[in-house]
Amino acid sequence: MTTHARTEPPRRPELGNRAEPGRRSVLAAGGALALAASGLLAGCGGDSKDGGGGDRFRAAFTAGGSQETLDPHVAPNFVDQARAKALYDTLGTYADDMSVRARLAESWESDTSGTRWRIRLRTAAFHDGAPVTAKDVLYSYRRAADPATGSPSQVLLSAIDFDASRADGERSLVLVLKAPDFEFPTVLAGPGTEIIPDGTKDFREPVGSGPFTYVSFTPGGTARYRRWADHWDGAPHIAELEIVPANEESARLNALLSGQVHYTADMAGASVERLKKEGSTRLLTARRATAQQLLLRIGRKPFDDPRLVRAVQLGIDREALVRVALAGHGEVGNDLFGMGLRGYPKDLAPRERDVDEARKLVKEAGARGLRITVETSSVDAAWEPAADLMARQLAEVGLKLTANTRASSTYFSAIKTKGVAAYNTTSTLPVSDFLQQRVRGGAARNQTQYASKEFDALLDRARTTRDEQDRLALLTRAQKIARDGSGLLVWAFSDANDAIGPSVEGLRAAPPNSHDWARFDRVRVG
């Protein structure tokens, strides 16, 4: 057996994909009206200032409505991941750069082929006192690999041959893969891979092995948890945790400023500026945490013509987009996902705007004056101003861009099949997993319809290459091919901003999906 990627324990003060995010523009008249609409005023009752009782921590997130569940294998949104992190554990966890560190797994190692992975578990227990065993892991992974479950890691877990895999001890198991994969450890930390007790089907009163135990939960409403003193990584510092819904950004902002919550997730634009001026709160800003994308569907006209893809790449002014659409809270993108993460190509020359070349390409394609519709929504506060600005920029090269604004509730399902161009975002994920899930030919989440045998072959070679540096070099080659032709235009990386009240300690800025993001068991209040 060849030891591979044995990792140090996670740093302690720290999800899937950031499900395509749920930002809301700040309402000019937020105040008590927005708070009442979110349920926060009613939920606070007679609690004291600064988030409630002295040993209770309250965090505000955008909620998912009446269909929410505490099933950790269905964790598409930020709030789902925060709740899952409180109740459950995963075998691994992501560092800020998306490399993998140990969590419930003490170690993992592969054979020389990269198809057989032995995983050894640390001594840990579920909330009912039962030990976490290899059988629990196999059950959890089988369940999350089932397409009917809806795990964001389903595609990656489906690489496991469960008939050949086995538990060979209470805290040891062998996972056999259908094909060699030396990048497999990234799966151990993925959103939707939490370990649950063998046979679990009902999540109305869930049992996990996380730092908090279940108290109560109302779908679309408040989730309450209690400190678990016997957690393998140490007991939380707070006695109680409440995750409360506040769908409007203004409601989350005002709840923090009025002392009704200690923590508020996903602040943007004017809210960030107001918090900076306010002074008593503290912003937790993870730089470049979210890739802002324009998806050009190259499987359909007009973007089946690579000259028009290139014309859009060269025709937009990325610095102006960051300055205007992101209000300066971000960094120019370079048409590849994962800037700053493990596996992102180093020393990549920036994509410079070239209006003359873009105009020439449009003319060669016979597309001068061509009308192009881009799908957008208020899901992300940056998209609509980005669409307005891009329309003006592309007009200079001879293209007429118009926006079709879709309802937030159905936006992501709609753009899977409709339109030729659409805005999208993705938060921090391992680069190799993103390429497999979003860029590989035929992948379910490849929305640009890109297909390249050369790109796919390099991905396959990378995952079957044992040497880490050789593997990363192959990933770099693959990305440079996809950068020009995939139709995935990453125009910027926006910052992720959360905020905390003045009495909060133990939290640091960390990208969503990483270990330290929403690490509420490390929080101290007062």
Side-chain angles (χ1 to χ4, degrees):
M1 303 284 281
T2 301
T3 301
H4 177 79
R6 188 168 299 191
T7 58
E8 61 187 270
R11 294 192 306 270
R12 296 173 64 175
E14 276 194 75
L15 144 124
N17 170 33
R18 171 182 180 176
E20 324 294 4
R23 289 187 176 163
R24 299 291 187 271
S25 298
V26 177
L27 300 180
L33 184 62
L35 290 172
S38 73
L40 283 174
L41 284 178
C44 290
D47 291 343
S48 63
K49 291 279 284 183
D50 198 20
D55 211 13
R56 180 195 306 167
F57 187 82
R58 184 178 280 132
F61 286 82
T62 300
S66 61
Q67 301 303 308
E68 286 185 327
T69 173
L70 292 181
D71 180 346
H73 297 154
V74 185
N77 298 314
F78 277 173
V79 67
D80 300 302
Q81 293 185 47
R83 289 189 293 240
K85 187 172 286 190
L87 278 174
Y88 306 98
D89 265 319
T90 49
L91 294 192
T93 190
Y94 293 137
D96 287 10
D97 68 351
M98 296 289 108
S99 58
V100 184
R101 298 176 177 223
R103 190 68 181 165
L104 280 177
E106 276 189 333
S107 65
W108 48 84
E109 56 189 14
S110 74
D111 66 358
T112 55
S113 73
T115 57
R116 297 174 64 85
W117 289 84
R118 180 177 297 278
I119 299 172
R120 293 180 174 85
L121 305 179
R122 69 174 69 253
T123 301
F126 290 108
H127 299 148
D128 61 2
V132 177
T133 70
K135 290 183 178 179
D136 300 313
V137 174
L138 285 170
Y139 174 79
S140 301
Y141 279 11
R142 279 194 187 98
R143 183 176 185 273
D146 183 347
T149 301
S151 168
S153 292
Q154 182 272 324
V155 171
L156 300 174
L157 287 168
S158 66
I160 300 171
D161 182 345
F162 288 103
D163 290 335
S165 301
R166 70 184 191 282
D168 61 354
E170 185 173 78
R171 293 192 293 116
S172 178
L173 67 152
V174 175
L175 295 178
V176 180
L177 307 186
K178 298 171 185 175
D181 186 358
F182 287 98
E183 285 287 300
F184 178 71
T186 62
V187 180
L188 307 180
T193 65
E194 285 78 6
I195 307 306
I196 58 178
D198 185 8
T200 300
K201 296 179 181 178
D202 189 340
F203 294 91
R204 287 175 294 182
E205 295 187 7
V207 172
S209 62
F212 295 94
T213 61
Y214 169 82
V215 174
S216 65
F217 172 61
T218 302
T222 298
R224 293 182 172 87
Y225 309 97
R226 185 171 294 119
R227 172 171 54 208
W228 189 40
D230 296 326
H231 189 241
W232 65 268
D233 197 28
H237 300 303
I238 53 173
E240 299 177 16
L241 170 64
E242 288 187 2
I243 296 178
V244 301
N247 287 346
E248 294 298 337
E249 185 175 307
S250 57
R252 298 193 299 278
L253 173 66
N254 285 294
L256 182 71
L257 294 177
S258 64
Q260 294 183 72
V261 299
H262 298 94
Y263 171 100
T264 182
D266 202 18
M267 295 285 99
S271 296
V272 171
E273 295 306 315
R274 183 176 171 188
L275 287 166
K276 286 180 178 178
K277 293 176 182 177
E278 196 277 335
S280 66
T281 58
R282 183 158 64 92
L283 275 167
L284 302 176
T285 299
R287 304 291 182 191
R288 303 184 308 204
T290 303
Q292 294 283 350
Q293 305 153 29
L294 177 63
L295 306 178
L296 304 178
R297 190 157 284 163
I298 64 172
R300 295 180 183 173
K301 292 183 179 301
F303 293 114
D304 58 344
D305 187 332
R307 292 172 296 188
L308 291 181
V309 174
R310 181 70 170 164
V312 174
Q313 291 171 337
L314 295 176
I316 63 171
D317 184 337
R318 297 157 198 260
E319 291 184 358
L321 284 162
V322 169
R323 187 171 61 253
V324 175
L326 299 180
H329 300 296
E331 188 169 327
V332 167
N334 207 5
D335 294 342
L336 285 177
F337 172 82
M339 184 180 291
L341 301 182
R342 172 188 170 274
Y344 185 86
K346 297 179 180 178
D347 304 320
L348 190 67
R351 182 89 75 192
E352 301 287 354
R353 191 182 193 211
D354 189 335
V355 172
D356 291 339
E357 179 64 17
R359 189 181 293 121
K360 176 183 174 184
L361 290 165
V362 169
K363 182 179 180 181
E364 289 177 357
R368 185 180 297 278
L370 179 68
R371 294 183 179 275
I372 299 169
T373 300
V374 61
E375 310 298 325
T376 188
S377 168
S378 62
V379 168
D380 190 297
W383 293 353
E384 290 174 289
D388 290 341
L389 185 54
M390 280 190 189
R392 295 196 296 272
Q393 293 170 352
L394 293 178
E396 297 179 44
V397 306
L399 298 175
K400 296 181 179 180
L401 188 73
T402 59
N404 177 36
T405 303
R406 293 186 177 273
S408 300
S409 58
T410 57
Y411 180 76
F412 292 109
S413 59
I415 67 170
K416 287 179 181 178
T417 57
K418 294 179 171 62
V420 298
Y423 289 101
N424 194 29
T425 57
T426 308
S427 280
T428 44
L429 286 171
V431 167
S432 62
D433 290 355
F434 178 89
L435 298 175
Q436 284 285 121
Q437 294 176 306
R438 314 290 181 98
V439 187
R440 187 185 185 92
R445 303 188 75 178
N446 176 349
Q447 295 189 55
T448 69
Q449 301 177 337
Y450 177 63
S452 164
K453 291 182 179 179
E454 184 180 8
F455 173 84
D456 291 353
L458 286 168
L459 276 193
D460 290 340
R461 283 181 58 194
R463 297 182 85 88
T464 57
T465 297
R466 291 177 62 190
D467 182 80
E468 170 88 356
Q469 294 306 311
D470 290 345
R471 192 159 66 249
L472 294 179
L474 288 165
L475 287 176
T476 291
R477 286 176 59 189
Q479 290 173 87
K480 288 180 177 179
I481 291 171
R483 179 178 180 238
D484 288 334
S486 72
L488 177 68
L489 193 159
V490 181
W491 54 271
F493 289 88
S494 52
D495 300 337
N497 293 289
D498 301 327
I500 56 176
S503 67
V504 177
E505 299 177 356
L507 285 179
R508 70 171 183 88
N513 295 329
S514 72
H515 176 76
D516 282 345
W517 177 78
R519 191 81 254 167
F520 297 137
D521 52 316
R522 299 298 98 197
V523 164
R524 295 181 185 271
V525 179

